[in-house]
Amino acid sequence: TNTVVDTVDVGNNPQGVAVNPSTNHIYVVNAFFDNTVSVIDGANNTVVATVTVGNSPSDVAVNPSTNRIYVANAVDFAGNDVSVIDGATNTVVATVTVGSFTFPSGVAVNPSTNRVYVTKSASNDVSVIDGATNTIVATVTVGDQPRGVAVNPSTNRIYVANQDSNTVSVIDGANNTIVATVIVGTEPVGVAVNPATNHIYVANSDGNDVSVIDGATNTIVATV
């Protein structure tokens, strides 16, 4: 019906949001001095828990297979990090440091490989975390000021929107190498994947348009 069926009050300045379809729980990061994650029960649209994480959380991703939630904390002067939440208990079970003053801004998960990808806008790279051990297993250099990140679990490809270089870096998850760099619109910040069609959608904030990438050829097939 494309109508609003409910409105849920969360914390201050909500930023990223992610869903666990297996548990029907929704996770909303509340940034700027709130530093929490609101956990919403999708069955009744109520906040069932509020989890304290790091400073200025900017994005959140879920691994439905493990029921772990990953929160990128953009500003923590003791060391920028990722909070790992156990979805069964709504508690932080690990904190993974991804380097001082690197400003993690985006996070995505491949449930098939249990790898977590964290973009760091100040260091122009992506930290790859092993979800089984909560350790960094690789660091991949991408374009200038990486922001959004998305995964196609079917192809094990990771797509990183680089805001200042107007490109998308394509990472092969098997060996953590860049296999393509796709020129998109102006200041890309958001990216999402449709695994069924292998199409990637990139939101270009300064161009007010969306670039559509064919994941098979790594070429632009449409601009919306």
Side-chain angles (χ1 to χ4, degrees):
T1 60
N2 294 315
T3 57
V4 176
V5 294
D6 208 344
T7 301
V8 184
D9 290 328
V10 290
N12 293 321
N13 198 1
Q15 301 274 320
V17 58
V19 176
N20 187 337
S22 300
T23 62
N24 197 15
H25 277 183
I26 299 92
Y27 301 88
V28 182
V29 292
N30 307 302
F32 298 130
F33 307 109
D34 197 308
N35 304 332
T36 62
V37 172
S38 297
V39 185
I40 300 171
D41 185 343
N44 52 28
N45 296 318
T46 58
V47 174
V48 294
T50 302
V51 185
T52 300
V53 291
N55 288 337
S56 294
S58 60
D59 199 14
V60 56
V62 172
N63 187 339
S65 300
T66 61
N67 198 14
R68 289 289 188 270
I69 298 89
Y70 300 89
V71 181
N73 303 306
V75 181
D76 184 352
F77 295 108
N80 295 184
D81 53 35
V82 174
S83 299
V84 184
I85 299 172
D86 182 346
T89 61
N90 293 316
T91 57
V92 174
V93 293
T95 301
V96 184
T97 300
V98 293
S100 298
F101 302 105
T102 56
F103 295 97
S105 55
V107 58
V109 176
N110 187 338
S112 300
T113 61
N114 199 13
R115 290 289 189 268
V116 184
Y117 300 89
V118 183
T119 60
K120 297 177 292 180
S121 59
S123 57
N124 299 333
D125 57 29
V126 174
S127 290
V128 184
I129 299 172
D130 182 344
T133 61
N134 293 316
T135 57
I136 295 175
V137 294
T139 301
V140 184
T141 301
V142 290
D144 293 337
Q145 199 172 0
R147 296 287 300 276
V149 56
V151 174
N152 187 338
S154 300
T155 61
N156 198 14
R157 290 289 190 269
I158 300 89
Y159 299 89
V160 180
N162 305 303
Q163 181 175 2
D164 283 359
S165 57
N166 302 328
T167 60
V168 168
S169 299
V170 184
I171 301 171
D172 183 346
N175 52 28
N176 296 313
T177 58
I178 302 291
V179 293
T181 301
V182 184
I183 298 173
V184 291
T186 307
E187 295 192 5
V189 293
V191 59
V193 173
N194 185 339
T197 63
N198 198 15
H199 276 185
I200 299 90
Y201 300 87
V202 184
N204 305 305
S205 63
D206 192 52
N208 300 331
D209 55 27
V210 173
S211 300
V212 185
I213 300 172
D214 182 342
T217 61
N218 293 315
T219 57
I220 302 291
V221 294
T223 300
V224 185

